[in-house]
Every structure is written in structure tokens, then in C-alpha cells.
Amino acid sequence: MNNRIQQLRKENKVTQNELADAVDVTRQTIISLENGRYNASLLLAHKIAEYFGLKIEDIFIFEENDL
Amino acid sequence: MTGMFCAANATSNEEYKSILKKRIVIYAVLAIIGAATAVIALMFGKDDYTSGFFSGGGTGICIASVIFIVRSVLLLKNEAKLKTDRLKNCDERNCAISFKASRAAALGIFIAIYCAAFVFAAYNSLVATVLICVIVAYVLLYAIFWRIYSSKM
């Protein structure tokens, strides 16, 4: 599963620390999400989507083999 | 490395404070058990090895519990450090890592106990039996907790 977190973060000039604080996770989790090493839970995906004012599917890109 | 058991549900510092307060009570009980073990071992130990083993273990549990109590009390007094600790303990990635590490460690212990039981079977059948019983107890506990959690989720 890919995501646009890093892109959105840079577009909105948000640091990893600020995003981590806003969605109640550690900065390391944001780094792992951006690197694609970790997939967010539904709850975290919802928090991130809410933070950027977007829908979950606008941020997290499901591919054929994810489904 | 975060703790082996994540407090996954605290979404605010206030919730985490109540978790820490409960933990302080648990640590206090452990400290008392540790101290009591040490005292009883020193007073009624059959020989040097037995009294040394139990008093050492008891003292270790007592000291570790006191350290955790002090740490928890200090965290309760500092909001910034409390938040950092909460995020470390409740972060979903850390919990996922902890879960995977626990599974791997359990598998490792399983294999080690099984191998040790085979080696001890040649020298001391009692130790081998106890080791196998540990594996059986683990499997039984796993089955019990599986049923409990499957009814809750």
C-alpha cells in the first residue's frame, strides 16, 4: 500500500514531528509510514486523513495485490 | 525499546495517568512480595544456596519495582515527559513491534525449552518433566486466552 503522506506534509509545510504530535504517534511511525515499511491502522489512517482534510482513499493508495 | 506490554488504549495524558497510577499499585505489590520473599528466604532458608537464590531474586524484584515506582511518579509530575512516554507506549507501530517481538521470543523460548528438556531427560527426569510441563502450560494458557479474546473481538 502506497501513501501520499510525505507529499502532503511537504505541500502543507508540516514537519514529521508536528504530524506525529497531531495524530498521537511517534515521529518514527511517521517515518515508517512515509517509507512504506509500516501500514497504518484504520484509526490512524482516519486521523491522518482528518488532519489533511482529505478522504482516506485520497492519501492511502490501495493496489491490486493489497486487496 | 519500549515495554513488553503496551498500554495501547490511552489517547490522552489523563488516561495515561490513570494507567500509570494502576501500574504504581502493581509495582508496590511486587515490591512487597519481593521484600517478603527476601526476608523469608533469609530467615527460613534451608541452606546457603536456597536462601541466596530466593533472597537475591526477591531483592531484585523489590529494587526493580521501586525504580519503576519512582520513574512513574516522576512521569506523573511532568506533562511533557508523560506525553513522550505515552506516545512511546501507546504508539500503534511500537505495539505492533512489541507483538511481533513477543511472538518471536515465545517461539525462541519454546524451542529452547524443548531442546533443554531433551538434554535433561538423560540426566534428570524431574527437570525434563518440569520443562515439558512449562510448554504444556503455555499451550493451555494460549488456548484459554484465545477463547477469551475471540469472545470479545
Side-chain angles (χ1 to χ4, degrees), chain B residues 8 18 21 24 32 47 53-54 56 77 87-88 90 102 106 123 127 129 142:
Chain B
S18 66
K21 283 173 187 168
I24 287 172
I32 292 165
D47 50 56
F53 183 87
F54 285 106
K77 289 178 180 172
L87 288 183
K88 255 170 61 179
C90 304
S102 299
Y123 306 103
V127 175
T129 308
Y142 180 81

Side-chain angles (χ1 to χ4, degrees), chain A residues 20-22 24-26 28-29 32-33 37-44 47, chain B residues 2 10-13 83-84 86-97:
Chain A
D21 262 4
D24 251 6
V25 293
T26 59
Q28 190 57 49
T29 297
S32 293
L33 285 170
R37 287 202 305 263
Y38 176 69
N39 287 331
S41 68
L42 184 59
L43 185 66
L44 180 56
K47 280 183 184 176
Chain B
T2 52
T11 53
S12 66
N13 274 7
K83 188 180 180 188
T84 308
R86 173 172 67 83
L87 288 183
K88 255 170 61 179
N89 270 275
C90 304
D91 178 75
E92 64 170 51
R93 178 177 159 275
N94 282 345
C95 288
I97 291 169

Side-chain angles (χ1 to χ4, degrees), chain A residues 9-61:
Chain A
R9 199 172 52 70
K10 286 179 178 172
E11 281 173 11
N12 290 282
K13 293 191 171 81
V14 177
T15 65
Q16 288 174 331
N17 262 331
E18 286 167 344
L19 178 58
D21 262 4
V23 297
D24 251 6
V25 293
T26 59
R27 182 172 157 263
Q28 190 57 49
T29 297
I30 300 297
I31 293 170
S32 293
L33 285 170
E34 289 184 355
N35 290 340
R37 287 202 305 263
Y38 176 69
N39 287 331
S41 68
L42 184 59
L43 185 66
L44 180 56
H46 177 75
K47 280 183 184 176
I48 292 169
E50 203 169 46
Y51 180 81
F52 288 116
L54 295 168
K55 290 177 184 170
I56 290 176
E57 58 266 34
D58 293 333
I59 299 175
F60 296 91
I61 301 129

